[in-house]
Amino acid sequence: MAASPHTLSSRLLTGWGGGCIWYLERRATRQSPRRFLHLLRNVSQQRVTFQHFNFLRRMYVTQLNRSLKQQIKPKPEPTESPFLEKTSLDEAKAEICEMRPLVPPSLPLSRKPSEKALIELEPASVTEGSIALGRETKEEKQWKEMKLRADDLPGILARLSKIKLTALVVSTTSAGFALAPVPFDWSCFLLTFVGTGLASCAANSINQFFEVPFDSNMNRTKNRPLVRGQISPLLAVSFATGCAVPGVALLTWGVNPLTGALGLFNIFLYTCCYTPLKRVSIANTWVGAVVGAIPPVMGWTAATGSLDAGACLLGGILYSWQFPHFNALSWGLREDYSRGGYCMMSVTHPALCRRVALRHCLALLAMCAAAPALDVTTWTFPVIALPINLYISYLGFRFYRDADRKSSRKLFFCSLWHLPLLLLLMLTCKRRVGEEGAGAPRS
Amino acid sequence: MASRRPARRLVLTAFCRAFSGRGCQLAPERGAERRDAASSRVSRFCPPRKSRHDWIGPPDKYSNLRPIHFYIPENESPLEQKLRELRQETQEWNQQFWADQNLTFHKEKEEFVRLRLKAKGLDLRTESGQKATLNAEEMADFYKEFLSKNFQKHMYYNRDWYKRNFAITFFMGKVALERIWNKLRPKQKTSS
């Protein structure tokens, strides 16, 4: 999956590039022969600039290609064949080094006799040379100026703050807020929403700041802004600070200190505990599960101002959900984790990985049954949530037993729709304020 | 115009030479191929003359890291030079580590697959002529072994990477403050 877009784009580029160059050359000779001849004259006077040399080198490549009727090979997959590519490129590299110091006007002339000899003796190395030249020009086009443009900034910051993940985090916080047994307060809700969103952006940015070389080496994360150099580390840290300070301040003084403290603690847990721990011990998964569990607790405490049983239950449900979600995801990334030096259960303790995933699927069932007992929802909730909980437990069991990519993917994709649906069902079955609960009757 | 062009070209070629030279100096103990892998891509690229920014290239095929070609301004302050040198050195250090890591991984993976296939009594190529591979579950043993073998190496790398990353960001902050201060100072002089 990761290989195909790369090779496809390079194939398109060579076809398009070759065609473009040919077209431009013909246009140059036809429409502005004076300019073209002027270029040649300049070149013959040995006042060669980089642009002139590039232009002529490109012309040489297209002429050579046309004469040999050679199709430029697409760039091979970097992780798979660096060795194979290297041996053929070594010859080509030697040729490029020879060609560079030569004065360009004599280049086509002096190369011709040697070229013919090369063609007779070793057609491979010459074509490799032209391929390498074509590749080199293409590579040069891939170099980007590290200049930050104002209209690119919002997109870059959105990717830096992992805006989709932030949206999910904020939606779990909103669910926690809505499930709290107090009248819904819109202003408090908005402050919580914005504050949690900012805190999440800050945490995600710092995480990316720490992980640049590791992200470069994994297919899933190699297009992040810091990896691509679209933003400097200083700007990333400044952005994170610029989100964390107002976010936590908003939660502490706009909502309540408990929520602010939880927000600050979560940022610390994610950036200073989870991120470094990923490379040290498998305990990172449990820490990460706590990080995922705190946002709905924050929503609850924002509404009620206290950390009660309902908040803990909601946190517990999110905590347990993290395991089937993450363990299933990590099953398919074992090679990347191993090469990158990440300590994950799926690599070091595969049996534990599957056991834990199943265990927490069953824990979800139990916690949903406990929800009405704690007056969070009515008794309808565990009943209507039973099918989806049984289904995810079944997939967890299949993953535990089969331990293959297919079962891990099924479990992962199920977890993606399971959580939003579960939260929605909880909301619809919320115990209304004033209703008689299963606990002590209100009189 | 005519006099400026050859002078600039000299500066550029000298700069490119200094670049590749530095790469060689910092890594004498590594093999030639690693040195080439580290410095060749960066030293071959020359940005347009009128650009006043750094340039970042495509991911290196060994390390998957993107090399940066640092811009040296004419009036570079000592602090800016220190930052640039730190970034350059970190880039080369990172390049070496990851190129080595990825190459080792692939070599050991190939070796593992070869041995396993041999143990199973299978050929290295299937009937269709494609390279025979092991499935993910069989490879899992290799991944676990490779990770535990390189654990200590990663610990040292992590510690160094965090130190360097903080240092670079801290110096970037200092340079930014210095630039702001320099911009404000002439204004103060003219106003006083």
Side-chain angles (χ1 to χ4, degrees):
Chain A
M1 178 66 193
S4 48
H6 183 75
T7 47
L8 177 66
S9 63
S10 57
R11 237 179 256 135
L12 283 171
L13 199 64
T14 49
W16 174 85
C20 237
I21 287 162
W22 177 81
Y23 172 67
L24 286 169
E25 185 206 324
R26 287 201 60 178
R27 262 192 73 182
T29 48
R30 266 197 218 148
Q31 291 176 13
S32 49
R34 215 177 291 160
R35 209 188 305 165
F36 185 70
L37 291 170
H38 176 70
L39 268 178
L40 275 182
R41 218 177 293 129
N42 265 353
V43 151
S44 68
Q45 283 167 21
Q46 304 210 7
R47 270 200 238 132
V48 182
T49 63
F50 175 74
Q51 285 90 341
H52 294 167
F53 180 57
N54 229 1
F55 173 78
L56 288 159
R57 203 177 54 179
R58 265 185 245 131
M59 274 185 57
Y60 169 72
V61 168
T62 50
Q63 280 178 10
L64 190 62
N65 286 348
R66 247 187 283 149
S67 63
L68 296 173
K69 288 197 173 70
Q70 176 69 36
Q71 226 187 9
I72 296 173
K73 275 191 289 189
K75 184 174 174 199
E77 169 67 42
T79 52
E80 268 165 21
S81 60
F83 323 103
L84 305 171
E85 201 195 3
K86 246 184 64 61
T87 49
S88 62
L89 264 184
D90 277 339
E91 302 168 7
K93 265 185 198 162
E95 286 207 37
I96 294 164
C97 297
E98 283 170 31
M99 277 172 64
R100 268 192 179 265
L102 285 175
V103 179
S106 57
L107 186 63
L109 300 168
S110 67
R111 286 291 291 173
K112 269 197 184 132
S114 54
E115 189 189 294
K116 280 191 186 143
L118 280 169
I119 288 168
E120 284 162 15
L121 298 169
E122 282 186 52
S125 63
V126 176
T127 57
E128 292 291 351
S130 70
I131 289 162
L133 275 177
R135 205 180 274 150
E136 210 186 284
T137 328
K138 209 188 346 148
E139 262 172 31
E140 274 162 22
K141 285 185 196 154
Q142 291 176 323
W143 280 77
K144 298 235 163 27
E145 195 176 13
M146 289 175 81
K147 189 178 174 185
L148 188 61
R149 290 177 178 81
D151 40 346
D152 289 337
L153 197 61
I156 291 171
L157 291 178
R159 269 174 287 139
L160 183 70
S161 56
K162 297 190 212 173
I163 200 80
K164 289 181 196 165
L165 179 63
T166 299
L168 285 169
V169 164
V170 166
S171 61
T172 58
T173 307
S174 312
F177 191 95
L179 276 165
V182 288
F184 192 87
D185 178 10
W186 270 104
S187 59
C188 185
F189 172 73
L190 283 170
L191 288 169
T192 313
F193 188 93
V194 173
T196 312
L198 287 172
S200 173
C201 287
N204 288 331
S205 306
I206 297 288
N207 169 267
Q208 289 198 22
F209 165 72
F210 283 154
E211 306 242 287
V212 178
F214 315 120
D215 284 345
S216 315
N217 275 284
M218 289 181 62
N219 281 321
R220 195 173 62 93
T221 53
K222 65 186 178 187
N223 287 314
R224 288 186 170 169
L226 282 168
V227 172
R228 288 169 72 178
Q230 291 173 318
I231 197 173
S232 77
L234 180 66
L235 205 55
V237 172
S238 309
F239 172 71
T241 317
C243 285
V245 170
V248 174
L250 205 62
L251 290 171
T252 311
W253 285 292
V255 182
N256 59 53
L258 178 61
T259 314
L262 281 170
L264 187 64
F265 176 66
N266 214 18
I267 294 175
F268 167 76
L269 204 62
Y270 185 59
T271 58
C272 302
C273 297
Y274 171 69
T275 304
L277 211 56
K278 270 162 79 172
R279 309 189 55 77
V280 174
S281 147
I282 59 170
N284 70 76
T285 313
W286 282 268
V287 173
V290 174
V291 171
I294 288 181
V297 175
M298 280 168 71
W300 186 287
T301 61
T304 62
S306 66
L307 201 64
D308 43 15
C312 295
L313 178 80
L314 208 52
I317 287 177
L318 261 291
Y319 176 82
S320 283
W321 175 83
Q322 308 287 334
F323 290 97
H325 173 77
F326 181 73
N327 286 3
L329 171 70
S330 69
W331 200 257
L333 299 171
R334 284 178 288 179
E335 177 170 351
D336 279 350
Y337 284 148
S338 171
R339 190 166 48 89
Y342 281 111
C343 293
M344 298 295 174
M345 268 193 280
S346 57
V347 181
T348 58
H349 299 80
L352 177 70
C353 178
R354 298 185 331 264
R355 219 167 38 235
V356 164
L358 176 62
R359 201 190 294 165
H360 284 273
C361 289
L362 298 170
L364 275 172
L365 260 167
M367 277 189 279
C368 289
L374 293 170
D375 277 347
V376 180
T377 65
T378 59
W379 280 103
T380 341
F381 169 64
V383 174
I384 56 173
L386 195 64
I388 58 171
N389 285 334
L390 281 177
Y391 184 60
I392 199 174
S393 301
Y394 167 69
L395 289 179
F397 177 70
R398 287 295 299 271
F399 175 52
Y400 173 73
R401 198 193 59 188
D402 300 343
D404 59 0
R405 195 175 162 76
K406 186 172 162 205
S407 54
S408 73
R409 281 169 68 86
K410 279 184 111 165
L411 180 60
F412 173 70
F413 285 115
C414 173
S415 74
L416 290 178
W417 59 254
H418 175 270
L419 180 69
L421 194 54
L422 193 72
L423 290 174
L424 201 65
L425 290 173
M426 276 187 99
L427 277 167
T428 55
C429 299
K430 179 185 171 185
R431 174 95 58 200
R432 300 289 158 213
V433 178
E435 260 181 41
E436 247 184 62
R442 293 192 187 91
S443 49
Chain B
M1 186 67 185
S3 57
R4 228 192 285 170
R5 235 192 259 165
R8 272 210 193 154
R9 202 183 39 173
L10 279 171
V11 168
L12 213 60
T13 46
F15 174 68
C16 288
R17 231 179 287 129
F19 235 77
S20 46
R22 185 175 286 145
C24 291
Q25 278 169 27
L26 279 172
E29 70 279 9
R30 294 284 173 179
E33 68 167 41
R34 303 254 161 81
R35 221 181 299 139
D36 283 345
S39 58
S40 61
R41 178 84 64 94
V42 184
S43 56
R44 269 214 302 264
F45 173 76
C46 285
R49 253 178 289 131
K50 55 181 175 5
S51 165
R52 299 171 63 86
H53 292 91
D54 300 335
W55 283 69
I56 190 164
D60 182 76
K61 58 177 173 266
Y62 300 113
S63 68
N64 297 314
L65 301 175
R66 288 176 183 255
I68 296 178
H69 193 280
F70 296 100
Y71 167 69
I72 306 178
E74 290 99 19
N75 54 349
E76 191 182 45
S77 71
L79 195 63
E80 285 175 346
Q81 186 187 1
K82 194 171 171 191
L83 172 66
R84 182 176 50 81
E85 284 169 357
L86 179 61
R87 287 177 77 190
Q88 178 65 39
E89 209 238 308
T90 301
Q91 180 174 281
E92 283 160 9
W93 169 80
N94 251 334
Q95 168 72 20
Q96 232 165 49
F97 178 86
W98 287 105
D100 181 45
Q101 177 76 0
N102 292 336
L103 282 170
T104 313
F105 181 82
H106 285 291
K107 270 198 202 122
E108 292 191 11
K109 185 180 171 188
E110 298 278 305
E111 185 59 30
F112 177 84
V113 171
R114 196 182 62 84
L115 287 171
R116 271 292 167 98
L117 286 172
K118 204 169 152 189
K120 281 181 13 175
L122 295 167
D123 271 329
L124 283 179
R125 301 228 165 236
T126 60
E127 293 95 33
S128 55
Q130 281 181 342
K131 222 167 133 182
T133 52
L134 299 171
N135 69 24
E137 306 322 310
E138 290 163 321
M139 291 306 303
D141 294 332
F142 168 70
Y143 297 144
K144 181 175 175 179
E145 190 202 319
F146 187 82
L147 186 65
S148 52
K149 226 171 41 172
N150 287 278
F151 182 75
Q152 203 55 41
K153 195 171 151 195
H154 278 293
M155 286 304 104
Y156 290 132
Y157 174 79
N158 294 340
R159 192 194 54 200
D160 286 341
W161 161 248
Y162 271 75
K163 273 201 275 197
R164 283 172 188 265
N165 199 21
F166 278 127
I168 288 173
T169 313
F170 175 70
F171 277 114
M172 278 182 169
K174 275 180 92 168
V175 164
L177 285 172
E178 188 189 62
R179 284 191 190 143
I180 293 169
W181 178 246
N182 287 338
K183 273 204 190 126
L184 291 172
R185 247 190 340 170
K187 280 187 190 162
Q188 276 179 13
K189 278 190 185 157
T190 52
S191 61
S192 59

